[in-house]
Amino acid sequence: MMYRTNTCGELSITNAGQEVTICGWVQKSRDLGGMTFVDLRDRYGITQLVFNMENNKELCEKARKLGREFVIQAKGKVRERSNKNLKMPTGEIEIEVGELNILNKSELPPFTIEDETDGGEELRMKYRYLDLRRSPVKNNILLRHRVSQEVRKYMDSIGFVEVETPVLIKSTPEGARDFVVPSRMQPGTFYALPQSPQTLKQLLMVAGFDKYFQIVKCFRDEDLRADRQPEFSQIDCEMSFVERKDILDTFEGLAKFLFRQIKGIDFAAPFIQLPYKDAIEYYGSDKPDLRFGMQIVNLTETVKGKDFPAFETSEYIGGICAEKCSEFTRKQLDELTEFVKRPQIGAKGLIYLRYNTDGSLKSSVDKFYSEEDLRKWVDIMHAKPGDLILVMAGVKNKTLTALSELRLEMGNRLGLRTKDKYFPLWVVDFPLLEWDDETNRFYAMHHPFTSPVYEDLALMETDPGKVRADAYDLVINGTEIGGGSIRIHDASVQKLMFKILGFSEEEANEQFGFLLNAFKYGAPPHGGIAFGFDRWVAMFGGQDSIRDFIAFPKNNSGRDVMLDTPAQISSKQLEELHLAHVKK
Amino acid sequence: MMYRTNTCGELSITNAGQEVTICGWVQKSRDLGGMTFVDLRDRYGITQLVFNMENNKELCEKARKLGREFVIQAKGKVRERSNKNLKMPTGEIEIEVGELNILNKSELPPFTIEDETDGGEELRMKYRYLDLRRSPVKNNILLRHRVSQEVRKYMDSIGFVEVETPVLIKSTPEGARDFVVPSRMQPGTFYALPQSPQTLKQLLMVAGFDKYFQIVKCFRDEDLRADRQPEFSQIDCEMSFVERKDILDTFEGLAKFLFRQIKGIDFAAPFIQLPYKDAIEYYGSDKPDLRFGMQIVNLTETVKGKDFPAFETSEYIGGICAEKCSEFTRKQLDELTEFVKRPQIGAKGLIYLRYNTDGSLKSSVDKFYSEEDLRKWVDIMHAKPGDLILVMAGVKNKTLTALSELRLEMGNRLGLRTKDKYFPLWVVDFPLLEWDDETNRFYAMHHPFTSPVYEDLALMETDPGKVRADAYDLVINGTEIGGGSIRIHDASVQKLMFKILGFSEEEANEQFGFLLNAFKYGAPPHGGIAFGFDRWVAMFGGQDSIRDFIAFPKNNSGRDVMLDTPAQISSKQLEELHLAHVKK
């Protein structure tokens, strides 16, 4: 016996007359007088089975008893349908069944296995194996496979080597929280799961593997925010004997290849490289969505000195110009004001200036500003009749963030953020260090091995806060898809970096000894990048959430509700590990 | 600046006259009168640099100061060598250096970075990043990459989907010991690391992914034997709507593809399928090395009844015939006797029968057997003049194991087990159950979801020990490379299986509830296989040990001596996990 000759997705009019055997799940069945129609589904599609009361009563009655999601095998002849469904690849044919075998029964599924399901999130997660039968989820997982294959094909074609780095590594206290794994053989000690293979890939550079990549699971024990997973996948990459340009060229190549293979989109021109400083200044964000313009304009100089209190007391005043929105209603403007006043944004208010189509001006601050004053706003913002200018004021960084949110909201309202348009860019020249007022020290913005930009080296001693990192992010449609940096390979620069970070030599050795030790034996100049694989696939799939691009994801509490884990383990297991649970 | 125009492995006589820049590590340097030669090494090869005292004294003196493993950049002109080394791909050329930049210095490495190193195992592991610079180790890692690429290419080409299954799953007490991961968010509970994605891939079959594969890390917290790793990689595969034949065909296809792509070997004929029973009977092993014959022959009937005590008291007597070994010396025979008497084998002794080239017979049991008796041995063993017959006796299973070891030893001595010859075969029809005298119950030989062979179903109730599993192993050169089975998809057979294994319904649900629950919603007929990826790569690399095919392996105590892990974690980390170390 052979279970099937064909799948449920491949038969077409050219197969008419053939005897076939297909297998799958019963999607639905309909009795129409003397006929019974069954839609049979597998991974590849749906094929219609026909049973005829007149030709074979017994068989037809058997078919009438089939429940949803029964697994069956049907043998029969392919024939042209009288009633064609041209929306389906198999919609021109049906199978006149001569033999029907029930391979397995099914209880009634807890939600409908349709593109649009009646199952809630929790139920879908608990019965994930049923959720995965639904085309939208199934197609996400198939897309993920396709992307991973294409990534590997491309990286291999340009000489990169995929090296599997270990999962059981050492805990490093700096950074996010590690998941740890108790050692039974050496009680009281632990492995840690990698947050990323950062140090291991740098060791591979020391080892001479000048082009490394890996699609690799990473782990972070964080309090989960929406759409974070405790385990996630990275496309992790590192190269030796390179500068920033080499890395950007290489991975722009990867990005373009993927867009071409997966989305059929060709990006001919080089990606824009936007300095971090400009990203903040013009978009209020280090991951700007460039699918639309609506740049932020600094109005501080222009609008001050007219006794409007909210402006006079503010460090910074900035605005955006929404094209063709001068006729926004009062209600719409109130909604926008509410939007920026929400606690997540926390702005005090929103000023508007309508540049009406007839050329007239109307603002919410007419009391303080003459028409001549307002003409200056219009000029500096390059507004055209019919546009709407929205202005906010306050502390600079907070106001820029608020303007960024307002800009994205306007982009949404104006339909400028469509899923099928993609705008990739590089954000470059991040600050190397972040000052923390609380602990009164600098922290590495990425990690302590990030190289400063060469020209800024002298600033390291005099004004470390001004030093730019030789770091870069790939940003697409307002999402950071990947990020990386040139690493420090010069021992004296590394020493200086640790000094600025307030690490004593002992502390540095304690945490990164194996890497610093390796660097003594000939570290090549190197740098790399890591991409959020789940995120990138979700973006190709046109969705914001990564969860449905992971076969078996965890919920927001880090639980797998299908497997029902984490769970208690036996006292014997705990004993073998020499561990006890401390109740609080 | 661009670091390099070429690698150290690609320049040849066709590049003569070109100005190039190359980077790498100083392999060695030699001063010969007015010339200094430096061998520069990178991942791709070695290129000779030449510095000339006469042309550029300063540069030459700089070159003379280069230490081993210094990282340098050299610019210069490719020229034909006067003294060619045709063993090296770059041996016809050298580079007359005009500019030399030291990119990084190196301390003297703790062992020589040569194909044959003076570094011991422990030192090599501690400085793994230096060990990885050595060609033999580097080439293993490159081979691993190549094999993984080819596996994915093939599986994708025949419609398999790579699905990443989670690493943080649920502990299942049956089987080997799990590594566990304490949950901080739900104190007192744990995730477990997968020993294999067995249940998850079966859920994927229920989900309709009818062709799944994954190259995936698996974890086992075992007391490590030689060449076992706590984390290892599998090529994990599962298919739906298939029988054994479909699976063997599919993965025989994969094996043949890999042999062709990686080793340039074509296996035209189908692989032999050897029943487990025959493997044991004729080779004393369920993973026989078929690179040579020398089958075990059951002599029990033939040799009994002649009052030789060792035979008369034995359950089983078996022998092998070593061709052209009749002239083995007394010393050689003594060595073989010592070999089988070692505690690892534990045989009582070894009987020999020389079938001399002149046709005469000489045995160690001439006292008990007439020439006529011994002729019968010769006949049943199909021995030819010049052959040596070796015979052992005792309990059947132990004696077969001992004969298997003796057979392999003879294979080694006779040079019949060469690394460049490969003999793949399927061992099939394993027993479904193993009886354990101690606990007085049956255990599943593979796992409780392994299907019995269909024809043996009736035996499940009457004589479970006789039931064959629908299971199969791929064995190559005496090593099990992979194994799998058809799974049970019929609820009533599964129930029976649990009954035979002594699981109550509650116990079965406790351990496998999520899978049994999933099976209620339409489980398709399915089966699969998993290959030891490290092992397969090592075999392609012609080595027995997997350790040098893993970039950063652990030692026999499960330690990573380079990272120095497992290690203590901070008391804060323990506190957050609500765990305490219990000292014994």
Side-chain angles (χ1 to χ4, degrees), chain B residues 151-166:
Chain B
V151 167
R152 289 190 163 104
K153 194 199 293 178
Y154 186 79
M155 297 310 286
D156 183 50
S157 77
I158 58 172
F160 278 72
V161 184
E162 185 160 24
V163 181
E164 291 173 55
T165 54

Side-chain angles (χ1 to χ4, degrees), chain B residues 233-284:
Chain B
S233 297
Q234 276 187 359
I235 310 172
D236 192 49
C237 310
E238 196 82 4
M239 301 174 78
S240 290
F241 303 116
V242 290
E243 297 168 298
R244 181 200 295 191
K245 182 184 183 313
D246 303 296
I247 295 189
L248 299 197
D249 284 352
T250 301
F251 294 98
E252 194 164 313
L254 172 65
K256 286 178 174 177
F257 179 80
L258 293 180
F259 270 110
R260 190 159 54 242
Q261 299 295 101
I262 304 294
K263 304 297 296 182
I265 298 173
D266 263 303
F267 288 101
F271 293 172
I272 285 175
Q273 292 182 24
L274 189 67
Y276 171 86
K277 202 167 52 62
D278 293 350
I280 299 295
E281 189 71 23
Y282 301 126
Y283 301 98

Side-chain angles (χ1 to χ4, degrees), chain B residues 199-364:
Chain B
T199 50
L200 291 157
K201 70 177 173 177
Q202 292 192 248
L203 290 176
L204 285 172
M205 294 305 108
V206 175
F209 285 82
D210 61 346
K211 291 177 178 180
Y212 146 87
F213 86 105
Q214 188 183 189
I215 300 183
V216 59
K217 276 276 174 74
C218 301
F219 306 85
R220 259 172 229 176
D221 185 11
E222 292 177 307
D223 299 315
L224 299 172
R225 281 174 280 162
D227 214 33
R228 282 276 187 113
Q229 290 280 322
E231 54 177 301
F232 55 98
S233 297
Q234 276 187 359
I235 310 172
D236 192 49
C237 310
E238 196 82 4
M239 301 174 78
S240 290
F241 303 116
V242 290
E243 297 168 298
R244 181 200 295 191
K245 182 184 183 313
D246 303 296
I247 295 189
L248 299 197
D249 284 352
T250 301
F251 294 98
E252 194 164 313
L254 172 65
K256 286 178 174 177
F257 179 80
L258 293 180
F259 270 110
R260 190 159 54 242
Q261 299 295 101
I262 304 294
K263 304 297 296 182
I265 298 173
D266 263 303
F267 288 101
F271 293 172
I272 285 175
Q273 292 182 24
L274 189 67
Y276 171 86
K277 202 167 52 62
D278 293 350
I280 299 295
E281 189 71 23
Y282 301 126
Y283 301 98
S285 165
D286 60 0
K287 32 182 188 283
D289 185 345
L290 296 199
R291 278 175 293 185
F292 63 109
M294 215 186 282
Q295 284 191 355
I296 296 168
V297 176
N298 186 339
L299 299 173
T300 315
E301 297 298 311
T302 315
V303 303
K304 279 217 178 188
K306 300 290 167 177
D307 297 330
F308 176 47
F311 285 178
E312 293 311 303
T313 58
S314 289
E315 177 190 7
Y316 171 89
I317 302 107
I320 56 174
C321 175
E323 287 182 21
K324 297 180 187 164
C325 292
S326 67
E327 295 186 3
F328 259 40
T329 61
R330 184 73 232 171
K331 181 160 166 281
Q332 284 174 302
L333 290 169
D334 285 348
E335 279 169 10
L336 290 176
T337 306
E338 285 313 304
F339 176 81
V340 298
K341 280 178 151 179
R342 287 177 315 145
Q344 299 95 309
I345 300 184
K348 295 242 171 69
L350 182 63
I351 306 300
Y352 69 81
L353 167 57
R354 296 181 199 272
Y355 188 6
N356 295 313
T357 46
D358 63 5
S360 66
L361 295 172
K362 173 77 192 115
S363 87
S364 52

Side-chain angles (χ1 to χ4, degrees), chain A residues 125-180:
Chain A
M125 286 299 148
K126 182 163 179 203
Y127 295 90
R128 184 62 164 178
Y129 41 86
L130 298 181
D131 201 29
L132 285 165
R133 287 186 193 162
R134 298 195 309 114
S135 284
V137 186
K138 177 197 73 185
N139 288 336
N140 290 346
I141 304 299
L142 296 180
L143 173 67
R144 185 183 180 106
H145 165 70
R146 187 79 265 129
V147 178
S148 77
Q149 285 290 118
E150 297 293 343
V151 168
R152 288 190 162 106
K153 193 199 292 180
Y154 186 79
M155 298 310 285
D156 183 51
S157 77
I158 58 174
F160 277 72
V161 184
E162 185 161 24
V163 181
E164 292 172 55
T165 53
V167 175
L168 298 172
I169 65 164
K170 191 178 183 174
S171 188
T172 51
E174 195 88 341
R177 213 180 272 107
D178 288 323
F179 282 106
V180 296

